[in-house]
């Protein structure tokens, strides 16, 4: 475990206590989260529906913001001038707080003359029209504490190395939530095809979650307007489903989290609408392989900080970059908690792995720059150069003898070409424990002709 020196720890505790009232974090190395470049707006610490932000520099010691006081702020709305509408994953209605509220982004866009202060999008993807926010009327479905008013009530531990260890009963609930999330993700992935809208995918995700007695965790989390995230091409993460039809060759990340019996299961995967070009295949394969490498490292006693170097060492020689603004996270009854998982080389004191820890690894790998452009909807993040990004994610459980993917593939899951062609691990990856290895062998036999 990497911990601050004895001379620094009292400073850390006093600084954290002093800043708690203003909801800003201070960590070893000093500086509030905002000073470390975590906020894109003066009055908001950006918080994700699917993960939290991290520092934009490996040398900046910072914890991703987990809470915020979100205030309305007027800003220019609009498309990118000469760009055609191809919104996959975007949308300007992220500020909607109430269930069923129809976003007014499209109407506002039409009032902005082209080139007159219009937001400049980085690539071809721009916001489409969002349907009204879907609702969860079934009283039998347990809802997270933010479902009604959009505000999470539970705070994680202040110190980043303090990590909850799940009891066997909690692990059983995490397994069930992870299984539901996997089933829903598989269903969503089968829908990805040219001509299908991301809003149609979101509608199915919503209904399939409810059918399984689960609440779609992103829905109304800090006001997020949809039940999943769909991030197309240059969209790095938090894309809002809308009416833009997918086009041939689009690379799409679908991010699913399901809340079942008081616990969240979180996973995402890449899909391609039609056939990917060679560069797209290389991006997806590299992202998948670095992700698997990093998961294979997980076992009791290893430091969480070392995950990032494994990812960076795999992708950089191949000409790719890793996003530093967003990170993986602990998960359980709380959507986002300790530990923070940085996907780049770092020395953050984020704790040591131990049995019972549950968390996500979810690297976001880019063809060009990993710098992020935040859209006016306060959710969608794209690359600043308009080049594509890819991501995979599992909810993981540290066990006495290794790691298991609680959102791992099941008997009915499709085996994708990047799994078959991986030089890191051929076939479906479920973990490193004896039980996981046995299950992988069974699935491989079932997949064989």
């Amino acid at each position: 475990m990497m911990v601050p020196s004895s001379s620094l720890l009292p400073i850390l505790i006093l600084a954290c206590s002093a800043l708690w009232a203003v909801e800003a974090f201070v960590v070893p190395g000093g500086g509030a989260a905002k000073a470390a470049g975590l906020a894109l707006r003066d009055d908001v610490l950006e918080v994700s529906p699917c993960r939290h932000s991290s520092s934009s520099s490996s040398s900046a010691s910072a914890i991703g913001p987990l809470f915020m006081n979100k205030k309305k702020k007027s800003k220019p709305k609009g498309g990118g001038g000469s760009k055609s509408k191809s919104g996959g994953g975007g949308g300007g209605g992220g500020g909607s707080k109430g269930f069923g509220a129809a976003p007014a982004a499209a109407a506002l866009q039409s009032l902005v003359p082209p080139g007159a202060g219009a937001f400049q999008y980085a690539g071809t993807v721009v916001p489409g029209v969002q349907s009204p926010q879907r609702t969860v009327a079934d009283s039998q479905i347990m809802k997270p504490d933010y479902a009604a008013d959009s505000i999470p009530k539970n705070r994680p531990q202040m110190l980043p190395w303090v990590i909850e260890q799940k009891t066997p009963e909690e692990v059983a609930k995490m397994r069930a939530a992870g299984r539901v999330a996997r089933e829903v993700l598989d269903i969503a992935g089968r829908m990805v095809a040219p001509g299908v809208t991301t809003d149609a995918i979101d509608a199915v995700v919503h209904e399939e979650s409810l059918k399984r007695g689960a609440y779609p965790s992103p829905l109304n989390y800090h006001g997020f307007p949809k039940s999943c995230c769909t991030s197309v091409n240059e969209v790095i993460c938090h894309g809002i489903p809308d009416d833009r039809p997918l086009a041939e060759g689009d690379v799409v990340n679908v991010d699913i989290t399901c809340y079942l019996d008081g616990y969240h299961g979180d996973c995402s995967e890449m899909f391609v609408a039609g056939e990917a070009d060679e560069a797209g295949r290389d991006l997806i394969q590299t992202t998948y392989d670095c992700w698997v490498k990093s998961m294979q490292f997980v076992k009791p006693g290893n430091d969480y900080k070392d995950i990032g170097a494994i990812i960076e060492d795999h992708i950089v020689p191949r000409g790719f970059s890793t996003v530093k603004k967003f990170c993986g996270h602990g998960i359980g009854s709380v959507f986002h908690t300790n530990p923070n998982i940085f996907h780049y080389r770092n020395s953050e004191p984020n704790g040591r792995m131990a049995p019972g820890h549950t968390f996500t690894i979810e690297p976001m790998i880019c063809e060009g720059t990993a710098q992020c452009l935040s859209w006016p909807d306060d959710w969608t993040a794209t690359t600043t150069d308009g080049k594509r990004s890819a991501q995979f994610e599992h909810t993981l459980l540290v066990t006495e003898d290794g790691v298991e993917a609680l959102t791992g593939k099941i008997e009915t899951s499709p085996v994708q070409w990047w799994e078959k062609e991986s030089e890191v691990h051929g076939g479906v990856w479920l973990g490193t424990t004896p039980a996981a290895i046995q299950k992988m062998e069974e699935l491989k036999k079932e997949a064989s002709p």
Side-chain angles (χ1 to χ4, degrees):
M1 177 183 292
M2 186 178 207
V3 296
S5 66
S6 58
S7 61
L8 186 57
L9 183 57
I11 298 173
L12 170 65
I13 296 172
L14 289 173
C16 288
S17 300
L19 285 174
W20 177 261
V22 295
E23 299 185 346
F25 283 112
V26 172
V27 293
K34 181 177 174 182
L38 295 172
L40 294 182
R41 288 174 22 181
D42 290 340
D43 60 338
V44 173
L45 291 180
E46 186 170 277
V47 180
S48 95
C50 312
R51 65 198 61 78
H52 26 276
S53 301
S54 77
S55 124
S56 60
S57 168
S58 60
S59 63
S61 186
I63 304 174
L66 305 177
F67 326 108
M68 69 180 181
N69 286 323
K70 187 155 186 172
K71 300 175 183 178
K72 298 280 274 185
K73 179 178 179 181
S74 60
K75 59 176 71 67
K77 302 278 184 179
S82 62
K83 293 179 175 62
S84 61
K85 176 191 139 187
S86 57
S96 171
K97 298 291 187 187
F99 283 138
L108 290 174
Q109 280 184 337
S110 66
L111 298 177
V112 181
F119 183 83
Q120 294 300 306
Y121 295 93
T124 60
V125 178
V126 300
V129 177
Q130 295 175 31
S131 60
Q133 190 179 53
R134 295 179 173 88
T135 61
V136 181
D138 189 347
S139 61
Q140 299 302 309
I141 292 177
M142 183 181 292
K143 301 172 181 65
D145 60 10
Y146 54 82
D149 63 4
S150 82
I151 303 172
K153 312 303 184 297
N154 292 317
R155 297 174 181 268
Q157 292 286 340
M158 284 287 291
L159 301 176
W161 54 83
V162 178
I163 301 166
E164 178 187 39
Q165 289 184 261
K166 305 294 189 298
T167 65
E169 292 76 19
E170 290 174 313
V171 168
K173 292 183 177 182
M174 291 286 293
R175 288 187 188 281
R179 169 78 183 214
V180 167
R182 165 50 55 186
E183 291 176 2
V184 174
L185 179 58
D186 287 349
I187 292 168
R190 291 187 180 97
M191 292 187 65
V192 173
V196 176
T197 68
T198 52
D199 185 65
I201 294 172
D202 181 76
V204 170
V205 165
H206 187 86
E207 291 305 318
E208 292 297 333
S209 299
L210 300 190
K211 282 182 184 178
R212 290 161 174 77
Y215 180 95
S217 302
L219 185 63
N220 215 33
Y221 182 77
H222 286 291
F224 190 77
K226 293 297 178 180
S227 298
C228 68
C229 300
T230 52
S231 300
V232 181
N233 294 336
E234 70 265 25
V235 179
I236 295 170
C237 60
H238 308 164
I240 302 174
D242 60 27
D243 70 342
R244 181 251 190 182
L246 295 173
E248 175 66 31
D250 280 349
V251 295
V252 186
N253 177 270
V254 181
D255 196 330
I256 303 294
T257 311
C258 293
Y259 183 75
L260 180 73
D261 198 16
Y263 288 82
H264 299 273
D266 191 0
C267 53
S268 83
E269 191 171 342
M270 295 304 297
F271 303 96
V272 181
E275 297 294 328
D277 58 22
E278 284 304 311
R281 291 178 68 91
D282 191 21
L283 170 66
I284 292 173
Q285 189 69 66
T286 300
T287 304
Y288 178 79
D289 286 346
C290 79
W291 177 58
V292 172
K293 269 190 175 181
S294 69
M295 293 189 294
Q296 289 176 332
F297 170 75
V298 176
K299 66 178 181 180
N302 284 349
D303 287 339
Y304 283 107
K305 68 177 178 62
D306 293 332
I307 291 171
I310 295 169
I311 291 168
E312 200 162 20
D313 287 348
H314 183 84
I315 67 161
V316 171
R318 292 166 172 79
F320 296 96
S321 61
T322 179
V323 171
K324 297 181 179 181
K325 184 164 184 59
F326 301 97
C327 64
H329 53 89
I331 188 170
S333 59
V334 178
F335 200 166
H336 300 118
T337 186
N338 294 343
N340 285 325
I341 307 298
F342 297 147
H343 306 115
Y344 57 91
R345 181 172 276 98
N346 69 91
S347 58
E348 301 298 332
N350 286 336
R352 180 171 290 173
M353 301 170 194
H357 288 183
T358 53
F359 65 99
T360 71
I361 299 179
E362 43 185 309
M364 290 144 275
I365 307 303
C366 304
E367 289 179 319
T369 180
Q371 294 298 310
C372 301
L373 174 67
S374 184
W375 282 10
D377 61 24
D378 288 335
W379 289 108
T380 309
T382 75
T383 58
T384 57
D385 59 7
K387 293 184 178 181
R388 293 173 295 187
S389 180
Q391 178 189 21
F392 291 88
E393 176 185 14
H394 270 323
T395 294
L396 301 171
L397 167 69
V398 183
T399 69
E400 294 285 352
D401 48 6
V403 61
E404 293 182 21
L406 298 181
T407 49
K409 290 196 168 183
I410 55 180
E411 295 80 4
T412 56
S413 299
V415 181
Q416 305 288 2
W417 55 260
W418 48 84
E419 294 167 319
K420 297 175 182 177
E421 298 176 16
S422 174
E423 296 180 358
V424 174
H425 176 86
V428 171
W429 189 91
L430 299 177
T432 62
T433 65
I437 292 171
Q438 180 180 348
K439 185 63 176 179
M440 287 188 290
E441 290 300 320
E442 292 173 358
L443 291 180
K444 187 178 291 185
K445 288 178 182 179
E446 292 177 7
S448 300

